[in-house]
Amino acid sequence: MQTIYYDLRNIKGQQREVEEKISAAAKILREGGLVGIPTETVYGLGANGLDSEAVNRIFQAKGRPQDNPLILHLSGAQWLPRYCADIPPIAYVLARKFWPGPLTMILKRKPIVPDETTAGLDTVGVRCPNHPVTLAIIREAGVPIAAPSANASGRPSCTSAQDVLEDMNGKIDGVVDGGSCSVGVESTILDLTVTPPRLLRPGGLSLEALEQLIGHIDVDAAVTRSMKEGEQPRAPGMKYRHYAPKAPVTVVTGAPKASAQEIAARVHLGDGVICFDEFAHLFPEQTVQCIGHSSDKLTQAQRVFEALRSFDNSEVKEIYAQCPDEHGLGLAVGNRLKKAAGFHVIEADRMRVVLGITGCTGAGKSTALEVLEELGGVVIDCDKVYHQMLAEDENMRNAINAAFPGVFQADGKLNRQKLGQEVFSRKDRLEKLNQIVYTYLPPEVERRVAAMDADLFAIDAINLLESGLDRLCDRTVAVTAPTELRVRRIMARDNITEQYARLRISAQNSDEYYRSKCDCELNNGSELPETFRKEAHIFFEKLLDTIRQEKRGKIV
Ligand code: TXA
Ligand code: MG
């Protein structure tokens, strides 16, 4: 069979020629033939959806399993009652907002739709594609067009007419070239025969956009994981290994930087890598496919299938792919990558480093923390967290109130002076208070670390070691300085007498205490603040390197 190529990339201008090509394609379809057609998502392999013999040819050409139903492509919502029964009003709400566009709705079917199209199900998938050429062809054909993605079964979907020819040349009657697909991943499939509606396949329309219009949507398990034995996804097609290049694929999830580093630590010479643009330089000895910047999910969607396909023309033995997060189009891009990997997924360790910084007044803790901030760290000031908790944390407040009745005023505010009087004169009472704080503070700090999107944290606490906060840290760092220097610094900083400065220092733990209990020491023996800043910079850079290397070693 010869596959006729219709070039309709440019539909402005030669009106007659365009119309002729559209009529020719529509005629093939009406007469039971197969035509590759462009849509905004991926190319489809179209046939008359009401003609069971034509539909059978689709399954043959693709090598598609018979139990996998096809989507009917309509010219608009006005066609819904012809093919669907019991249509809920919400279907029209969705169609008004999102059609033409990348949304497929599963509805009850009418008997006019043959079993071949629905694979014997009593439901049918319908969508109105957003591509002027294909809309014109459907209108001209006057029948709904059944169209799966135009790839050979199991291969990555086609996002250009060239891809279609690669898989289907000689097996189908024609291909209509409408340019490359603007969305790049298939339509989102939403089952409207159940309540609440259920997402069967993430796609070109985001879950968030759908939920904004119609409220909560359940997500089918097949979207995020592989099916267990005997388990049936509701979209039959979701159970097949799919989109797979010939070489095995490993998907790495996690923050972009972390997943890039994770891949960099694993790849060998000659492997394939699918990565975000900004990390390409990490893979000089690999075959790299960039799918866009990590923040540009539309470009990722447009490029993901082409990237997967490209490796079949190369010698790569293994492929690693960075996975976007699940927001917006990321859910669909990630789903396609994971399916291509047969759900072989590795979670990149966040590679988070948590440092505990402690030491006496005047030693230079603040400068050390500023340096860590310059290095991208988030500083958690535990004194501040403690005061916030005194005001807001019900559990800690209750515990304090039980131990020191009357320290909270009628308006709920803590009378700090009163609490101070209670504990400062009596050691046992201070210990009691500390015990309470040390119970509630570390978990709260831990929660804050987990909730923040950063790779480096500095926990700033004078009682880091006593409170148990040190257990959250990869390393504890004692900032120390000669006593005479500290005396002078405190005098200048707090504008106090030498005698008072010495008194304050003697009331605190000694450098020796911190030195012996912390993992490492940053000594500030310099008269010049700028010198210490530079020293601290070098010290922390080296420390972070060591810790990150250790962590990487552990993952592999
Ligand atoms: O964007 C798209 O949807 C593209 C373009 C060409 O429109 N088409 C597409 O078709 O992706 P296909 O056949 O590759 O994927 C259709 C998916 C399959 O997973 C199939 O199992 C599911 O839709 N499906 C079709 N009818 C269904 C039904 N009645 N109930 C549940 N799932 C259905
Ligand atoms: Mg498909």
Side-chain angles (χ1 to χ4, degrees):
M1 177 188 292
Q2 207 207 325
T3 303
I4 308 170
Y5 173 79
Y6 298 98
D7 188 353
L8 280 164
R9 280 173 297 178
N10 183 1
I11 52 168
K12 292 192 188 96
Q14 326 100 327
Q15 208 50 38
R16 269 271 310 271
E17 211 183 302
V18 169
E19 276 166 23
E20 272 169 24
K21 287 176 186 168
I22 284 171
S23 304
K27 183 158 178 275
I28 297 175
L29 290 168
R30 257 198 323 270
E31 292 175 352
L34 302 186
V35 182
I37 49 172
T39 85
E40 80 282 28
T41 57
V42 299
Y43 272 73
L45 183 50
N48 177 353
L50 302 181
D51 177 343
S52 43
E53 274 176 40
V55 169
N56 273 332
R57 276 183 213 118
I58 293 180
F59 284 88
Q60 280 159 22
K62 275 184 62 103
R64 180 177 175 107
Q66 289 288 343
D67 68 348
N68 195 1
L70 306 179
I71 294 170
L72 276 187
H73 294 67
L74 315 180
S75 85
Q78 74 284 2
W79 280 16
L80 281 175
R82 295 191 202 169
Y83 313 112
C84 306
D86 307 335
I87 305 168
I90 204 169
Y92 288 100
V93 173
L94 286 161
R96 198 172 309 128
K97 172 100 178 166
F98 296 120
W99 277 8
L103 171 66
T104 294
M105 300 192 265
I106 305 295
L107 296 165
K108 284 264 176 284
R109 71 150 157 167
K110 280 194 169 161
I112 186 178
V113 184
D115 276 345
E116 282 75 6
T117 299
T118 66
L121 297 177
D122 62 355
T123 56
V124 60
V126 285
R127 94 170 185 101
C128 176
N130 187 15
H131 195 292
V133 170
T134 289
L135 280 175
I137 292 172
I138 298 171
R139 252 181 258 122
E140 174 88 13
V143 288
I145 304 300
S149 49
N151 51 287
S153 201
R155 289 210 74 200
S157 301
C158 304
T159 49
S160 72
Q162 245 40 56
D163 292 346
V164 180
L165 285 170
E166 192 176 290
D167 284 17
M168 291 294 152
N169 199 8
K171 296 183 183 167
I172 60 178
D173 300 280
V175 177
V176 176
D177 191 344
S180 48
C181 299
S182 59
V183 174
V185 290
E186 300 91 335
S187 61
T188 301
I189 302 182
L190 188 65
D191 187 351
L192 293 179
T193 65
V194 290
T195 322
R198 181 178 278 258
L199 183 81
L200 303 189
R201 177 178 76 181
L205 180 63
S206 75
L207 178 62
E208 292 91 333
L210 283 166
E211 287 195 321
Q212 203 180 4
L213 186 68
I214 63 170
H216 176 75
I217 291 168
D218 281 343
V219 176
D220 203 64
V223 170
T224 47
R225 61 172 173 81
S226 60
M227 294 288 91
K228 298 186 192 111
E229 221 172 275
E231 208 177 3
Q232 283 295 334
R234 295 193 188 218
M238 291 292 274
K239 71 172 170 281
Y240 296 107
R241 185 170 149 86
H242 217 153
Y243 313 123
K246 284 164 197 148
V249 180
T250 301
V251 169
V252 183
T253 60
K257 203 165 139 206
S259 60
Q261 284 175 348
E262 179 69 33
I263 293 173
R266 284 170 179 265
V267 279
H268 300 109
L269 186 75
D271 281 349
V273 174
I274 295 178
C275 68
F276 304 128
D277 295 356
E278 66 270 35
F279 301 110
H281 67 276
L282 294 177
F283 310 105
E285 293 173 334
Q286 282 73 34
T287 304
V288 174
Q289 284 291 324
C290 292
I291 56 168
H293 191 272
S294 56
S295 62
D296 180 1
K297 288 179 179 151
L298 179 59
T299 302
Q300 292 164 28
Q302 287 164 347
R303 292 199 192 151
V304 65
F305 285 131
E306 199 50 53
L308 286 167
R309 268 181 177 263
S310 72
F311 290 116
D312 283 348
N313 306 318
S314 75
E315 294 291 301
V316 302
K317 292 191 191 64
E318 267 194 82
I319 300 165
Y320 289 90
Q322 281 194 278
C323 189
D325 67 55
E326 298 191 335
H327 300 292
L329 280 177
L331 187 63
V333 175
N335 168 268
R336 303 311 187 266
L337 286 170
K338 287 175 188 168
K339 291 200 73 170
F343 283 93
H344 185 245
V345 180
I346 293 170
E347 282 174 40
D349 188 345
R350 282 295 320 254
M351 209 64 95
R352 292 184 148 191
V353 176
V354 182
L355 297 181
I357 309 294
T358 192
C360 337
T361 11
K365 228 158 43 100
S366 317
T367 309
L369 291 166
E370 283 166 23
V371 169
L372 282 167
E373 272 180 331
E374 284 163 22
L375 290 169
V378 171
V379 172
I380 298 185
D381 177 346
C382 292
D383 199 46
K384 218 159 145 187
V385 177
Y386 166 59
H387 283 108
Q388 270 177 16
M389 290 177 75
L390 281 180
E392 294 161 17
D393 188 284
E394 275 319 312
N395 293 329
M396 190 170 90
R397 284 164 56 93
N398 288 340
I400 292 176
N401 199 30
F404 307 98
V407 294
F408 287 96
Q409 301 162 4
D411 62 3
K413 279 208 188 102
L414 177 77
N415 186 334
R416 277 163 75 169
Q417 210 179 352
K418 195 158 178 196
L419 184 62
Q421 279 164 2
E422 290 251 15
V423 299
F424 284 136
S425 51
R426 303 252 319 251
K427 215 174 160 208
D428 58 334
R429 289 198 191 165
L430 180 60
E431 256 164 32
K432 205 164 163 189
L433 176 63
N434 281 343
Q435 227 172 45
I436 295 171
V437 176
Y438 297 169
T439 304
Y440 293 98
L441 183 67
E444 172 61 18
V445 172
E446 189 170 23
R447 269 190 295 279
R448 290 186 185 207
V449 168
M452 266 185 274
D453 187 23
D455 293 324
L456 173 62
F457 293 86
I459 299 182
D460 166 18
I462 186 111
N463 45 15
L464 185 78
L465 306 161
E466 301 82 347
S467 62
L469 280 163
D470 57 344
R471 282 194 289 275
L472 303 178
C473 304
D474 294 295
R475 291 283 198 288
T476 51
V477 179
V479 184
T480 59
T483 311
E484 287 317 304
L485 266 179
R486 285 171 52 208
V487 170
R488 267 181 279 142
R489 282 194 203 123
I490 301 174
M491 284 168 61
R493 187 188 68 192
D494 298 343
N495 197 17
I496 52 178
T497 63
E498 183 183 340
Q499 199 189 6
Y500 191 51
R502 286 189 192 280
L503 194 69
R504 272 183 48 189
I505 287 175
S506 67
Q508 292 187 353
N509 287 315
S510 64
D511 270 355
E512 193 37 55
Y513 170 84
Y514 290 109
R515 189 177 292 133
S516 64
K517 290 203 154 40
C518 284
D519 299 313
C520 36
E521 178 184 6
L522 173 60
N523 186 261
N524 176 4
S526 164
E527 291 281 351
L528 293 169
E530 266 331 289
T531 311
F532 177 58
R533 192 175 283 275
K534 276 186 201 134
E535 284 169 355
H537 216 278
I538 295 166
F539 170 86
F540 282 124
E541 262 181 337
K542 219 162 128 195
L543 182 61
L544 289 171
D545 244 316
T546 312
I547 297 172
R548 286 185 176 134
Q549 240 151 43
E550 277 171 17
K551 289 194 172 213
R552 214 163 286 145
K554 246 184 244 159
I555 299 166
V556 178

